[in-house]
Amino acid sequence: MKDLRRYLVLKYIQYLVLSSSNAVSTFLGLLGSLYTIILLQSAKVSSKSTTVLISSIAKADILVSVCVVSDMIIWTFDVRILSTAFTSALLQNLLTANAHVSCLLLSCIAFEAYLITFFPMESRHVRTVKNAKLTSRIVWILVTAECVIFQTEDFLKASSISAHISSHCTSVFDLSGRVAALLRSLSYFLGIFLRIVNVYFYYKIFFTGTKAHILEHY
């Protein structure tokens, strides 16, 4: 569990503290996710709601691995087929999906820690493996839908540049662009909101919760 806590700290720094990922944080994140996936296969790690969420965060880094491998292939072998505008947009959308999945699941873990600290008995029926799997599935569905919308916008944008499109296609392009712009705005404000909420949860846990525990002890 100590290793899993260190992994969570790494992920919080990578996605909720740093404004953007860099090469060092990405590399450490990939190593941490690989180690975590291996660690979670051990019989010593019990199946709990938190471990289910952590497992989903670690598996989300597969998207980052795909992007890293693709960039290495392009840089090493100069493969032009992978350097098209569509593929570049896809790789960027995969990175965005990874970040959004990780942020949402990390926030779920923070909320669970808050419930465990202040409402351990009352929240026991909520903090189940089944609910954790359902939460992970919902997060992945929502982020996948977002990624599809972004990729559709990029595809239509590339098509409009490379060829003349009909008025019907223009309407579809405008609608896709508006939806994508709305999603980007929502994602931006949601990211700020999640950072504030996570700070609040851990402030309550580490300060208020610790203080209450000390008072009860004495």
Side-chain angles (χ1 to χ4, degrees):
M1 293 306 296
K2 290 183 179 180
D3 290 337
L4 293 180
R5 292 191 190 100
R6 294 189 187 100
Y7 174 71
L8 285 178
V9 171
L10 172 63
K11 284 300 175 181
Y12 275 109
I13 293 175
Q14 183 180 358
Y15 291 110
L16 292 173
V17 176
L18 298 178
S19 58
S20 60
S21 296
N22 51 56
V24 176
S25 64
T26 299
F27 178 72
L28 292 177
L30 288 175
L31 285 181
S33 294
L34 178 61
Y35 175 72
T36 299
I37 291 175
I38 297 173
L39 183 64
L40 291 175
Q41 304 304 314
S42 172
K44 297 180 180 180
V45 180
S46 58
S47 179
K48 297 181 180 179
S49 56
T50 304
T51 56
V52 171
L53 297 174
I54 292 174
S55 175
S56 191
I57 293 173
K59 292 175 182 177
D61 268 2
I62 294 175
L63 301 178
V64 180
S65 301
V66 171
C67 297
V68 171
V69 171
S70 299
D71 288 338
M72 290 179 62
I73 293 175
I74 293 173
W75 181 75
T76 305
F77 301 102
D78 192 22
V79 182
R80 298 184 181 278
I81 191 173
L82 292 178
S83 59
T84 62
F86 178 83
T87 306
S88 299
L90 176 60
L91 296 179
Q92 183 59 47
N93 289 331
L94 290 180
L95 292 176
T96 300
N98 166 261
H100 289 178
V101 167
S102 299
C103 289
L104 289 171
L105 292 178
L106 286 170
S107 299
C108 290
I109 292 175
F111 178 62
E112 185 180 48
Y114 177 83
L115 292 178
I116 292 173
T117 303
F118 296 99
F119 308 100
M121 300 301 297
E122 298 87 341
S123 64
R124 179 173 293 181
H125 68 285
V126 177
R127 298 181 287 103
T128 62
V129 172
K130 180 180 179 181
N131 287 339
K133 290 181 178 179
L134 178 61
T135 300
S136 297
R137 193 174 297 115
I138 291 173
V139 168
W140 275 102
I141 291 173
L142 292 176
V143 174
T144 299
E146 178 193 50
C147 185
V148 170
I149 292 174
F150 288 160
Q151 192 62 30
T152 301
E153 181 204 25
D154 293 325
F155 173 75
L156 292 176
K157 187 182 297 183
S159 299
S160 66
I161 294 174
S162 60
H164 296 289
I165 56 178
S166 62
S167 58
H168 175 70
C169 293
T170 302
S171 301
V172 174
F173 172 72
D174 291 339
L175 177 62
S176 175
R178 291 174 184 174
V179 173
L182 177 61
L183 279 177
R184 288 190 175 92
S185 298
L186 289 176
S187 298
Y188 175 76
F189 289 109
L190 180 61
I192 296 176
F193 174 75
L194 290 180
R195 285 175 170 83
I196 295 173
V197 168
N198 276 271
V199 169
Y200 170 77
F201 283 152
Y202 284 112
Y203 170 79
K204 295 289 289 185
I205 291 170
F206 289 112
F207 290 93
T208 309
T210 303
K211 182 179 179 181
H213 178 74
I214 293 174
L215 292 175
E216 289 178 1
H217 180 72
Y218 288 100

